[in-house]
Amino acid sequence: MNIILLGAPGAGKGTQAKRLTSERDMVQLSTGDMLRQSAESGSQIGIDAKALMDKGELVSDAVVVDIISRRIDQPDCAKGFALDGFPRTLEQAAALDVMLDEKNKSLDAVVEMRVDDVEMVARIVGRFTCANCGEGYHDRFKTPAVEGVCDVCGVSDFQRRADDNANTVTTRLMAYYKKTSPLIGYYFAKGKLVTVDGMGTIDEVTKSISNVLDQVDGSAKSQSRGLLGSIFG
Ligand code: ADP
Ligand code: AMP
């Protein structure tokens, strides 16, 4: 199954992508993570991207489209993927359509996670992750069971993103409203959009998304049975 998780910064895309991919045998494709890795590796593209990311601005379409296209070609994406943070503009969405066509792949669903602005800001400013395994946490909404120790790997080394601060939040939210939110209409018109309430607890949101994906999966299977039935039945 190939899906997009669509939502403003802090909506919970990464959190849910990690859960989905462990439950459903798909891979998480986060352009934000890929760009941060590229910056850490010291590549010029990564360094240029970091300057924009630290200000809360979007990186150019050409750079992220190229990164995603190469990543989708890797064998592990054959089992299915959850795009997290891509596409973020109509141009990226159009490039994704072409790219998937060329690669003989298609999108099963676009899951929009709807969260209000006050909650988004609270989620962004309180976010931190384990520096060792990448598990995500929050100062108020998801603290480690033992203070200062990662629940997953037991390491006591946490980090915060350079762009997760009150100064960049407005720029990032405005980039979402101006450039990314038009994708809601784009995918609605293609019959791919499903919207879930992202305001519940992490478990509640996981359940809503799982229900939606079960329905999408079920209807895809019954359609293909119907097609086989009409050929062989
Ligand atoms: P995104 O990938 O959309 O930017 P994240 O998944 O990183 O967002 O979530 C942002 C922050 O909010 C993280 O600290 C995460 O632990 C927390 N979070 C995610 N989903 C929820 C939720 N449903 N309720 C409360 N906090 C959440
Ligand atoms: P994220 O980790 O998804 O919150 O992304 C962090 C930052 O990376 C964003 O604020 C952008 O600067 C950049 N970025 C990530 N994905 C994209 C994308 N698809 N298009 C443009 N910029 C992106």
Side-chain angles (χ1 to χ4, degrees):
M1 186 174 242
N2 300 326
I3 64 163
I4 294 175
L5 291 174
L6 184 62
K13 303 179 296 295
T15 303
Q16 298 301 332
K18 283 198 176 61
R19 289 179 156 216
L20 282 171
T21 51
S22 66
E23 283 163 15
R24 285 181 185 258
D25 199 25
M26 339 157 68
V27 283
Q28 175 188 9
L29 302 184
S30 158
T31 37
D33 285 348
M34 292 174 204
L35 290 166
R36 282 184 285 278
Q37 277 159 15
S38 174
E40 269 166 35
S41 77
S43 79
Q44 194 53 50
I45 285 180
I47 292 165
D48 294 345
K50 189 176 179 341
L52 293 164
M53 292 163 80
D54 286 353
K55 287 192 280 182
E57 290 171 18
L58 293 188
V59 173
S60 81
D61 292 333
V63 165
V64 289
V65 166
D66 183 55
I67 288 180
I68 274 295
S69 177
R70 288 165 193 265
R71 183 64 186 88
I72 288 178
D73 286 339
Q74 311 259 310
D76 60 341
C77 289
K79 57 186 176 184
F81 50 78
L83 288 164
D84 156 17
F86 180 93
R88 256 177 159 102
T89 64
L90 286 169
E91 290 75 12
Q92 291 177 22
L96 178 66
D97 286 344
V98 173
M99 176 195 308
L100 291 179
D101 242 25
E102 284 171 0
K103 298 180 198 294
N104 256 323
K105 293 181 189 287
S106 59
L107 273 179
D108 295 290
V110 177
V111 182
E112 182 210 355
M113 300 168 61
R114 203 165 276 187
V115 170
D116 74 37
D117 291 356
V118 174
E119 178 77 9
M120 279 188 261
V121 173
R123 288 190 189 176
I124 288 173
V125 297
R127 168 164 54 192
F128 64 99
T129 52
C130 171
N132 181 51
C133 72
E135 180 67 4
Y137 293 95
H138 190 280
D139 291 329
R140 286 194 285 142
F141 308 136
K142 192 191 165 210
T143 51
V146 178
E147 201 187 327
V149 181
C150 176
D151 296 345
V152 176
C153 70
V155 168
S156 299
D157 186 11
F158 295 96
Q159 62 191 13
R160 286 180 193 265
R161 280 169 45 175
D163 57 341
D164 276 347
N165 58 66
N167 296 334
T168 63
V169 161
T170 316
T171 315
R172 290 165 70 192
L173 283 188
M174 286 309 127
Y176 175 75
Y177 285 118
K178 277 192 212 150
K179 304 207 170 129
T180 310
S181 68
L183 299 185
I184 295 169
Y186 183 84
Y187 287 117
F188 176 79
K190 285 179 175 284
K192 294 288 178 197
L193 189 78
V194 278
T195 300
V196 299
D197 180 6
M199 291 293 288
T201 62
I202 293 176
D203 284 344
E204 285 166 349
V205 179
T206 304
K207 207 159 179 213
S208 304
I209 297 177
S210 282
N211 287 341
V212 156
L213 295 186
D214 285 345
Q215 280 172 22
V216 170
D217 209 16
S219 76
K221 282 189 183 128
S222 66
Q223 266 174 27
S224 72
R225 269 199 301 276
L227 182 66
L228 289 175
S230 65
I231 296 169
F232 301 110

